[in-house]
Amino acid sequence: MVKLWIISSNLPSKEISSQEKLWADNLSPTRRKQYIHARSYTRHVLSTLFNKPSLDIPLYAPPSNPIKLLNKNMGFTSISHCKNNLLVAWS
């Protein structure tokens, strides 16, 4: 099974982990906004898929690296973004 989500970049960001906040603090303002948006919506869509709170989704997601789900039983995820949208894929 494959699931895809396209999320507008105009939507307000959602929750990210404390580690993701630390990583975001070291980015430029533009890159920080993009990073927080991408990680927060990745967490959000996966939380809907797995029926768990977004901060309980076990992601390892440093900037400029592929996102990894730390629980192998939860599948795999990938993101891509452009100026106006974020694509989140899960399989």
Side-chain angles (χ1 to χ4, degrees):
M1 177 187 317
V2 174
K3 297 237 181 214
L4 302 172
W5 296 267
I6 297 174
I7 298 121
S8 171
S9 298
N10 295 325
L11 293 173
S13 293
K14 297 188 174 284
E15 290 183 294
I16 60 173
S17 72
S18 57
Q19 178 60 63
E20 290 163 345
K21 289 176 187 175
L22 291 172
W23 284 326
D25 287 343
N26 293 315
L27 301 172
S28 69
T30 301
R31 181 72 178 100
R32 181 182 311 120
K33 181 179 177 184
Q34 185 181 56
Y35 174 80
I36 291 171
H37 184 268
R39 295 325 186 262
S40 72
Y41 276 96
T42 299
R43 287 185 171 283
H44 175 71
V45 298
L46 293 176
S47 73
T48 302
L49 180 67
F50 292 111
N51 197 29
K52 292 182 169 221
S54 62
L55 293 178
D56 288 348
I57 301 298
L59 289 183
Y60 179 72
S64 301
N65 285 281
I67 294 177
K68 294 180 184 174
L69 278 163
L70 297 177
N71 180 338
K72 298 289 184 193
N73 295 328
M74 294 178 84
F76 302 92
T77 191
S78 183
I79 65 167
S80 183
H81 43 80
C82 62
K83 183 177 179 181
N84 299 319
N85 293 295
L86 166 69
L87 171 71
V88 179
W90 172 87
S91 66

